[in-house]
Amino acid sequence: MLLRRLPTTENVVALTFDACQTLKPAGYAPEIIAILRRERVPATLFLGGRWMEWHADVTRSLARDPLFELATHSYLHPHFPKLTEKQMRADLEQALAVHQKLTGRKPKAFRPPYGEQNPLTVKVAESYGLATVLWDVETGDPDPKSSAKEILREVSRQTKPGSIVIQHMNGRGWHSPEALPEIVALLRRRGFRFVQISESLHR
Ligand SMILES: [Zn+2]
């Protein structure tokens, strides 16, 4: 299964946050998690396996909080369409092993790094019970020049019922912590309910 939006016509929206990490360590933006907890906003977090290892205590704490669905963002953030099936499987199996070890659970959703995927990627992910999840609302938060105001404007302009919004929580979603309280307020004013990705996969 390949999703760019949730399969629903209800007035729901999924906020998603990626924690990408290659071999080079990446950061963590605790403000994002604090805002989601304060506002009681459910969200789906796509965590890289390597990121989870570097932020093991944070990962365990996120796993204990039912507000968050932990999904996988691969192990080493490779370009999936450039990999052989064997390499895809090796990366995903490593990601799933780390996920199981740190959270005690199996993820249900997979976001391919850079949103790059092909039919083989989707098929391989499916063989591990993973839905491949992209997005339809691009906030542009990895661009340091993109201000909180611009991020909010993109969310306002693009969000429809069933939308999936992408932001980053590895310290590279530069203005996302600043924009997030306003995003939540705006979407609430428009009557959206916040859902986790897998919630709408089982209807
Ligand atoms: Zn990523």
Side-chain angles (χ1 to χ4, degrees):
M1 185 193 291
L2 173 66
L3 287 182
R4 285 187 173 82
R5 291 180 51 199
L6 300 173
T8 176
T9 51
E10 282 178 70
N11 212 17
V12 296
V13 59
L15 297 188
T16 69
F17 297 86
D18 290 5
C20 324
Q21 183 173 322
T22 56
L23 275 177
K24 224 171 96 192
Y28 165 54
E31 312 92 295
I32 287 183
I33 297 303
I35 294 163
L36 294 171
R37 282 179 169 148
R38 190 183 72 214
E39 297 289 333
R40 305 304 302 157
V41 173
T44 304
L45 314 178
F46 288 93
L47 309 181
R50 190 70 179 158
W51 188 92
M52 295 172 98
E53 288 176 337
W54 270 83
H55 301 275
D57 289 339
V58 170
T59 299
R60 287 190 200 97
S61 141
L62 295 172
R64 282 192 298 269
D65 191 337
L67 200 57
F68 305 119
E69 173 183 2
L70 302 194
T72 184
H73 192 37
S74 82
Y75 181 74
L76 260 189
H77 212 263
H79 295 270
F80 267 71
K82 290 188 181 155
L83 304 183
T84 62
E85 175 168 353
K86 204 173 155 198
Q87 290 170 322
M88 288 182 190
R89 291 191 179 279
D91 180 277
L92 279 179
E93 281 172 23
Q94 201 171 357
L96 294 177
V98 173
H99 202 102
Q100 184 72 43
K101 184 172 153 229
L102 291 177
T103 73
R105 287 196 294 269
K106 272 175 69 170
K108 298 188 178 95
F110 160 58
R111 174 165 286 154
Y114 318 99
E116 292 177 3
Q117 44 75 39
N118 56 11
L120 181 62
T121 309
V122 177
K123 196 182 103 192
V124 168
E126 217 150 57
S127 74
Y128 296 103
L130 296 165
T132 300
V133 177
L134 303 177
W135 57 87
D136 69 326
V137 178
E138 176 122 36
T139 58
D141 73 342
D143 179 356
K145 291 195 295 286
S146 179
S147 68
K149 213 174 231 162
E150 280 161 338
I151 291 172
L152 183 69
R153 192 167 60 221
E154 285 312 309
V155 171
S156 171
R157 194 171 65 79
Q158 299 178 49
T159 306
K160 299 180 281 292
S163 275
I164 300 173
V165 182
I166 180 172
Q167 294 180 264
H168 289 78
M169 57 171 278
N170 58 347
R172 303 208 137 247
W174 304 100
H175 298 283
S176 266
E178 197 187 327
L180 189 54
E182 294 194 56
I183 290 173
V184 169
L186 171 87
L187 295 177
R188 279 190 170 145
R189 274 202 306 279
R190 292 201 192 160
F192 281 101
R193 185 166 62 85
F194 298 100
V195 295
Q196 296 174 346
I197 296 284
S198 67
E199 205 181 310
S200 56
L201 297 182
H202 298 288
R203 295 223 185 145

